[in-house]
Amino acid sequence: MSWAADPQDLAVLKGVKVTGDLGKEPTVTLPATPFTVNGFTTLLVQDGTGAPITSGEIVSVQEVAVSGADGSTLGSTWSTGAQTLPAGNSNMAADLNTVLLSAHVGARILVAVPSSTQGGTAAPTTSVYVIDVIDAYTVPTKATGEPVAPAAGLPTVTLSDSGEPSLTPVSGAAPTTLVAQPLIKGAGPAVQTGQTLTVQYTGWLWDGTKFDSSWSTGSPATFKLDTGSVIAGWVEGLTGQTIGSQVLLVIPPDKGYGANAQGTIPANSTLVFVVDILDAR
């Protein structure tokens, strides 16, 4: 079964050979190089025998990426650890959502993604991904547990009925050391460095200016809790917190982005996050 806007692209993608058992890293052989498609194209190579994937689930996947230019391997999560996709999320490509929501755990999916070299005359290139669905699971929508009275002098957090936080900043100088203040104490096990976390979060500057929020995307964020994936303040502040907790993080520049501006975040900014820890595995 397939979902592709262009039948010609689909026919090209069907020429890609994927070998190897499900649950093990596959080998990808392109029919010819350079391999190109005109648009985002997906193909369900083999459906799984597990539970059906439903909208709102977190989908754990292993993937291999191959260059259409020469067939070389661009990267593989089989050596770095599984990644996650939010099934049904509106920010994900519609074709990939469609194939995921029509498949079962254990499925193998081919995806071809074209791209162009901006500002040059190089021919468009295509990356080919083989995605194996390892698991699919649901997580709570917000932190659940016992409320904790925060220490004095910290910004005030107010929650909507859905659990989305808003922040009232405080006057005065920001802390110069990391603050990790639980606001809700969850009953789950303690988070460990290196785990993959699923969280809801909102981030503000110390003056209360909001710069980012997973709540606005329609699904929680997932990431590996290590300094290769997130800033040091998250790693240090969330390690040891329990699943189900909501944590207020006040992160000084040396544990955030330091002297480097990051998008709308100015250099040397103190960052404030409210993080709901929904899952860790």
Side-chain angles (χ1 to χ4, degrees):
M1 187 177 293
S2 57
W3 297 263
D6 186 339
Q8 186 174 5
D9 282 345
L10 177 59
V12 171
L13 187 58
K14 285 181 176 178
V16 176
K17 185 178 181 181
V18 183
T19 55
D21 295 336
L22 291 171
K24 296 182 179 180
E25 183 170 2
T27 299
V28 185
T29 306
L30 303 180
T33 56
F35 177 90
T36 61
V37 294
N38 295 313
F40 189 99
T41 310
T42 61
L43 174 70
L44 181 59
V45 177
Q46 182 176 341
D47 199 4
T49 59
I53 299 166
T54 60
S55 183
E57 287 187 313
I58 304 298
V59 182
S60 177
V61 301
Q62 295 278 19
E63 66 180 37
V64 176
V66 172
S67 169
D70 57 11
S72 61
T73 300
L74 298 173
S76 174
T77 64
W78 290 93
S79 58
T80 60
Q83 304 295 306
T84 57
L85 299 172
N89 184 270
S90 60
N91 290 324
M92 196 161 65
D95 282 358
L96 183 54
N97 255 330
T98 301
V99 68
L100 278 174
L101 296 176
S102 301
H104 297 72
V105 172
R108 174 167 285 172
I109 302 165
L110 260 177
V111 179
V113 183
S115 62
S116 298
T117 303
Q118 294 183 352
T121 59
T125 60
T126 293
S127 298
V128 177
Y129 299 83
V130 179
I131 299 174
D132 283 6
V133 178
I134 306 302
D135 195 8
Y137 52 92
T138 58
V139 298
T141 59
K142 60 183 179 181
T144 55
E146 294 297 320
V148 177
L154 296 176
T156 300
V157 176
T158 305
L159 303 179
S160 70
D161 290 342
S162 68
E164 182 173 2
S166 58
L167 190 83
T168 302
V170 293
S171 59
T176 57
T177 58
L178 176 69
V179 174
Q181 170 66 64
L183 302 176
I184 297 172
K185 178 68 171 177
V191 170
Q192 300 177 35
T193 302
Q195 287 186 307
T196 296
L197 269 58
T198 302
V199 306
Q200 290 278 28
Y201 74 91
T202 303
W204 300 264
L205 303 179
W206 178 249
D207 66 5
T209 301
K210 184 165 72 172
F211 60 81
D212 193 15
S213 179
S214 66
W215 293 90
S216 62
T217 68
S219 70
T222 59
F223 58 89
K224 192 170 184 179
L225 190 63
D226 61 32
T227 52
S229 303
V230 293
I231 56 177
W234 275 58
V235 178
E236 295 178 26
L238 296 181
T239 298
Q241 306 288 349
T242 53
I243 297 173
S245 294
Q246 181 180 84
V247 183
L248 173 67
L249 298 175
V250 182
I251 302 176
D254 66 316
K255 296 189 183 299
Y257 298 109
N260 300 312
Q262 186 79 10
T264 59
I265 301 173
N268 298 308
S269 290
T270 295
L271 310 177
V272 181
F273 289 95
V274 173
V275 184
D276 287 20
I277 305 173
L278 308 179
D279 187 72
R281 58 183 65 208

